[in-house]
Amino acid sequence: MVLFGETKLPEITKKVIATPGEKVAVIEEFNSGEGTYLQESNVRSLHVGEIRKNLSERSINIKHPDSKNILPQLGDIITGVVETAQTKIANICIESINGKLSKAGFTGMLQLISNQSSGRGRVKRGATCRSGDIVRALVFSIANSTIHLSIDRPDLGVLKATCSMCGGDFVRLDDRLKCVDCGFIEERRLSSEYGNK
Amino acid sequence: MSKLLNSKNRRLDGRKLDELRPIKMKVGVIDNANGSAYIEFGRNKVMAAVYGPKDVHPKHMMKTESAILKCRYHMTPFSTGRRKNPAPSRRETEISKIISEALEPAIVMTDYPRTAIHVYVEILQSDGGSRCAGVTAASLALADAGINMRDLTSGCAAGKIDGKVALDLDEVEDMEGDADLPMAILPNLEKVTLLQLDGDFSHKEFIEALKLAKKGCLKVYEMQRNALNDKYFGNEKA
């Protein structure tokens, strides 16, 4: 019995809008670009969006109207809260991706070794960040489906921290922080934008 | 047995045998969800919401190479004539599973490793064929969430009433009729992702019902496309 193949779906090659699964081109015409996939010899849409043809690369792309950036990708800048900070790594709960709020609750891994060396090959405990700090970091790898973060840039690092002794606010003293309430001094790997709202 | 067809082969609600109930679809009805859709399939009223891809809890359920799909089909206490116990029933557990299995082939799960996609299907009012309406609504909500999908999933049922094959049975036809065949397809990829049968069909009737259900699914698919275009492009011609 032939269930399919009798009713033809409408031809859509001239359309400018595509919904998931729609045929947007054949492989002889265009390569499969962003937001598309190849099924046999047909290029089909992966999501709702506008069809954009790149004639120089002969590729076809589907641009989502909302551009929902739902997973942290390589090169993204994220802002998050430090969940746990250990000697070599810290786990960051990602709260925003490229300035867009993310409620997905992804956790990234911040490696502290390269940024934390005291010059004699030693690692200074807790000098980079502590749990509860708000940090800005770069996604430099998503190998093994783990979000690897880096703060190895002047604008990256701790954006906001509170005193680990009394919970009070800090004032910045060059690379160190001083608590306005108890006067306790702590070290962090601070972003150049520390304290900016 | 009550008579479900009149002498002109019209059904109790005046429909022809191959006619769908009136359908309304709206995408993006819930602000707090990543994607959502509302469907009226005759007197069925179905709300679907999608959260994710998000972190997996509990962690041991995480798949390193792909996402996991968690689906919940639930009927509200006021969805039926007699109050329904809001606790999940065996039927709801089964339908949650089959909706999940109907949607999974449409989603590119490998694009979201170590994540979970949560689909909630809430039946606000039920009138037969709510699982097909649920699959259709859930697929729209997934598309609204911007999740990569190979195709939309469209659902529609066929059945047998008074010995004749009919499309899209309502509750009375479902209860009093001879058979019910819910079906969901990926219309562009020409694949069946859900097929159940409750009742008796001869081989010829089964083939006829399959073809009729497919025809209904394709009509539902056209409406899904229009609903998505309405939301994102303001009814611009696709």
Side-chain angles (χ1 to χ4, degrees):
Chain A
M1 189 197 75
V2 180
L3 181 61
F4 291 108
E6 296 159 358
T7 316
K8 292 278 177 206
L9 288 166
E11 194 57 52
I12 43 76
T13 37
K14 288 178 185 169
K15 286 176 183 169
V16 291
I17 295 164
T19 50
E22 275 189 37
K23 180 176 157 187
V24 289
V26 288
I27 194 65
E28 286 85 358
E29 286 179 296
F30 289 100
N31 286 320
S32 165
E34 201 181 316
T36 65
Y37 73 101
L38 197 61
Q39 182 256 340
E40 294 173 354
S41 60
N42 300 319
V43 180
R44 294 186 181 276
S45 170
L46 274 174
H47 47 67
V48 185
E50 219 175 296
I51 302 172
R52 292 188 177 174
K53 292 171 181 172
N54 185 335
L55 294 174
S56 60
E57 292 178 10
R58 298 301 301 175
S59 69
I60 198 155
N61 305 293
I62 309 288
K63 172 94 172 67
H64 195 283
D66 272 2
S67 293
K68 291 179 181 175
N69 192 1
I70 41 189
L71 279 183
Q73 301 292 335
L74 211 65
D76 284 352
I77 301 288
I78 64 97
T79 309
V81 179
V82 179
E83 279 186 335
T84 53
Q86 295 162 357
T87 319
K88 293 179 181 177
I89 59 161
N91 289 313
I92 313 289
C93 180
I94 297 170
E95 300 288 347
S96 86
I97 303 163
N98 292 331
K100 284 185 184 171
L101 217 62
S102 167
K103 292 177 187 171
F106 290 116
T107 306
M109 193 176 74
L110 177 63
Q111 296 182 347
L112 306 179
I113 304 167
S114 61
N115 303 316
Q116 210 172 318
S117 170
S118 63
R120 289 178 294 175
R122 283 191 179 176
V123 175
K124 290 162 78 178
R125 282 175 71 93
T128 303
C129 58
R130 281 175 185 265
S131 57
D133 289 357
I134 298 170
V135 294
R136 182 190 285 158
L138 170 84
V139 179
F140 79 92
S141 169
I142 45 173
N144 302 320
S145 307
T146 305
I147 302 159
H148 296 270
L149 304 171
S150 162
I151 50 172
D152 201 10
R153 230 167 66 180
D155 61 321
L156 304 176
V158 176
L159 290 173
K160 178 77 183 159
T162 49
C163 178
S164 58
M165 297 298 280
C166 69
D169 286 336
F170 279 128
V171 284
R172 187 172 184 166
L173 307 168
D174 295 327
D175 285 344
R176 293 184 302 167
L177 297 165
K178 185 179 180 184
C179 177
V180 292
D181 293 337
C182 67
F184 189 66
I185 293 176
E186 287 190 54
E187 284 186 21
R188 297 284 201 280
R189 170 69 170 77
L190 297 175
S191 160
S192 56
E193 291 174 30
Y194 179 87
N196 292 357
K197 283 187 179 173
Chain B
M1 195 175 80
S2 62
K3 196 145 174 60
L4 298 170
L5 289 174
N6 67 14
S7 56
K8 291 178 182 171
N9 270 349
R10 292 277 183 166
R11 291 146 81 169
L12 293 178
D13 55 3
R15 282 187 291 154
K16 294 178 193 165
L17 285 167
D18 63 347
E19 201 176 328
L20 286 169
R21 288 173 283 183
I23 298 174
K24 279 185 200 167
M25 295 184 189
K26 198 168 182 206
V27 179
V29 287
I30 301 170
D31 289 341
N32 291 336
N34 293 104
S36 59
Y38 172 73
I39 286 190
E40 286 184 18
F41 215 100
R43 294 200 306 155
N44 284 303
K45 292 181 180 177
V46 182
M47 187 83 81
V50 168
Y51 287 84
K54 58 192 293 182
D55 233 12
V56 185
H57 293 289
K59 293 276 185 194
H60 69 83
M61 290 184 74
M62 184 188 282
K63 287 187 184 172
T64 51
E65 299 299 321
S66 72
I68 58 166
L69 182 65
K70 285 185 168 181
C71 186
R72 192 187 82 146
Y73 166 98
H74 181 248
M75 296 179 84
T76 50
F78 48 83
S79 63
T80 48
R82 186 177 294 174
R83 179 188 178 270
K84 190 215 156 269
N85 185 338
S89 62
R90 276 172 67 101
R91 180 179 169 274
E92 284 166 295
T93 309
E94 177 224 325
I95 296 178
S96 300
K97 180 178 178 286
I98 62 116
I99 290 181
S100 173
E101 287 170 2
L103 294 172
E104 205 168 316
I107 303 169
V108 189
M109 303 291 272
T110 48
D111 281 1
Y112 309 104
R114 291 177 181 246
T115 62
I117 299 167
H118 296 260
V119 178
Y120 297 96
V121 177
E122 207 68 31
I123 309 296
L124 305 176
Q125 187 170 290
S126 162
D127 185 37
S130 65
R131 74 188 67 195
C132 293
V135 168
T136 307
S139 180
L140 274 180
L142 283 164
D144 184 40
I147 288 166
N148 289 347
M149 295 170 79
R150 295 184 185 92
D151 204 344
L152 289 172
T153 311
S154 312
C156 187
K160 190 163 80 168
I161 48 171
D162 288 354
K164 294 201 169 148
V165 174
L167 182 65
D168 190 20
L169 308 188
D170 64 21
E171 191 165 15
V172 177
E173 292 169 335
D174 192 12
M175 303 290 278
E176 302 294 327
D178 308 318
D180 181 29
L181 183 94
M183 182 173 167
I185 64 168
L186 307 182
N188 291 289
L189 302 181
E190 302 192 332
K191 283 182 169 37
V192 176
T193 60
L194 161 67
L195 188 69
Q196 293 184 301
L197 172 59
D198 179 18
D200 296 318
F201 273 131
S202 70
H203 182 257
K204 193 181 159 203
E205 284 168 344
F206 178 71
I207 303 293
E208 197 187 335
L210 264 186
K211 287 184 176 172
L212 201 56
K214 182 206 153 192
K215 196 175 140 191
C217 288
L218 290 177
K219 281 184 187 165
V220 169
Y221 170 66
E222 281 304 314
M223 289 176 211
Q224 284 177 298
R225 280 184 52 209
N226 291 339
L228 285 169
N229 287 331
D230 276 355
K231 185 195 169 186
Y232 287 105
F233 306 103
N235 212 9
E236 194 177 323
K237 277 276 174 200

